Amino acid sequence: MSGCFITIEGIEGVGKTTNIEFIEKLLEDAGKDIVMTREPGGTSLGEDVRELLLGHKHDGMSRDAELLLMFAARAEHLDKVVKPALDANKWVLCDRFTDATYAYQGGGRGFDTIPIETLENLVQGELRPDITLLLDVSVEIGLERAGKRSEPDRFEKEKHEFFERVRQTYLQRAKADPTRMIVIDASKSLADVQAQIQIAITDFLQR
Ligand code: TMP
């Protein structure tokens, strides 16, 4: 495998969508061949699973079912999209990946790390992101921004404390692996956030 795997993470309302497009442009300008994708989703099966996970048809789904569905979607995504793209020397830019599972199912739902690690090893083998940008804002700001969008999905309906645990788990993971996981202060103006992203990507391209 010789491409590069970049993931973007953060709680709701951090501005992932706008900033992913910015990152795509930076990488294209650097001559990279990009595949943009997302989790849960990115494949036909994965998008169906996403609907099950985010919609309200299965409100109250067990946390085991939720965790396993995340990894089922991920297995298909890796098989059909991520690994073939990396094998073809492409750069995969993915909106969320397994850090989100540690943050939401681990931190948010209270899952122990061990079962998540077991599934991670089973589904991904050795594959891990080469770099992850964690867009970070306070839960207050994130939820306020997210609330201005469409109807809340099954995760967006969670309480403030849930997102506080999610955010803290993300920050702990970044602290434990600062070379891979770069924290971007997304509470700043868009221009400032994009300046931080540009520095992180430029540094990475020079590694
Ligand atoms: P988004 O990608 O549109 O922000 O929404 C996806 C939602 O799914 C978001 O609330 C986070 C959640 N999620 C998990 O709980 N675990 C995961 O592993 C992933 C990839 C996403």
Side-chain angles (χ1 to χ4, degrees):
M1 229 177 275
S2 37
C4 196
F5 187 25
I6 302 181
T7 61
I8 316 299
E9 300 279 357
I11 60 167
E12 341 298 293
V14 288
K16 275 189 295 111
T17 312
T18 317
N19 287 307
I20 279 184
E21 283 165 15
F22 177 70
I23 297 167
E24 182 189 26
K25 169 103 188 20
L26 285 177
L27 293 170
E28 274 173 359
D29 289 349
K32 308 299 178 193
D33 195 355
I34 311 295
V35 172
M36 278 252 265
T37 187
R38 67 171 180 181
E39 289 208 353
T43 63
S44 169
L45 183 147
E47 291 295 328
D48 284 353
V49 172
R50 181 184 176 93
E51 247 180 76
L52 297 175
L53 282 162
L54 269 59
H56 293 288
K57 186 171 175 197
H58 304 292
D59 277 342
M61 144 183 337
S62 76
R63 30 171 238 174
D64 289 13
E66 183 179 289
L67 178 70
L68 292 167
L69 284 171
M70 288 295 174
F71 273 105
R74 183 160 300 138
E76 182 75 358
H77 189 216
L78 287 168
D79 186 61
K80 298 285 189 307
V81 176
V82 179
K83 285 184 185 167
L86 294 174
D87 284 339
N89 223 354
K90 297 191 173 161
W91 284 47
V92 178
L93 184 53
C94 189
D95 182 346
R96 297 191 186 281
F97 193 61
T98 307
D99 288 301
T101 314
Y102 283 100
Y104 284 78
Q105 282 63 55
R109 302 275 189 238
F111 249 108
D112 201 48
T113 309
I114 309 258
I116 302 178
E117 275 173 1
T118 305
L119 288 164
E120 181 181 36
N121 290 329
L122 175 80
V123 167
Q124 295 169 221
E126 308 265 287
L127 182 66
R128 301 289 181 275
D130 295 295
I131 181 174
T132 299
L133 298 188
L134 171 61
L135 302 181
D136 180 60
V137 293
S138 69
V139 174
E140 286 75 17
I141 297 180
L143 291 187
E144 208 221 295
R145 287 185 191 163
K148 290 185 182 141
R149 299 196 305 238
S150 51
E151 256 315 274
D153 64 34
R154 209 173 56 82
F155 288 99
E156 289 165 345
K157 285 237 156 161
E158 287 297 333
K159 297 197 168 54
H160 186 287
E161 303 79 65
F162 175 90
F163 292 105
E164 201 55 70
R165 293 195 298 276
V166 172
R167 179 183 183 215
Q168 292 311 323
T169 309
Y170 269 137
L171 289 172
Q172 280 159 18
R173 289 182 66 72
K175 205 168 167 195
D177 193 359
T179 311
R180 174 184 68 91
M181 200 161 176
I182 315 290
V183 182
I184 304 293
D185 180 355
S187 68
K188 299 281 197 313
S189 68
L190 184 61
D192 189 318
V193 171
Q194 296 191 335
Q196 294 175 60
I197 291 175
Q198 185 151 17
I199 290 170
I201 295 290
T202 307
D203 279 359
F204 178 69
L205 289 170
Q206 285 165 359
R207 270 185 205 169

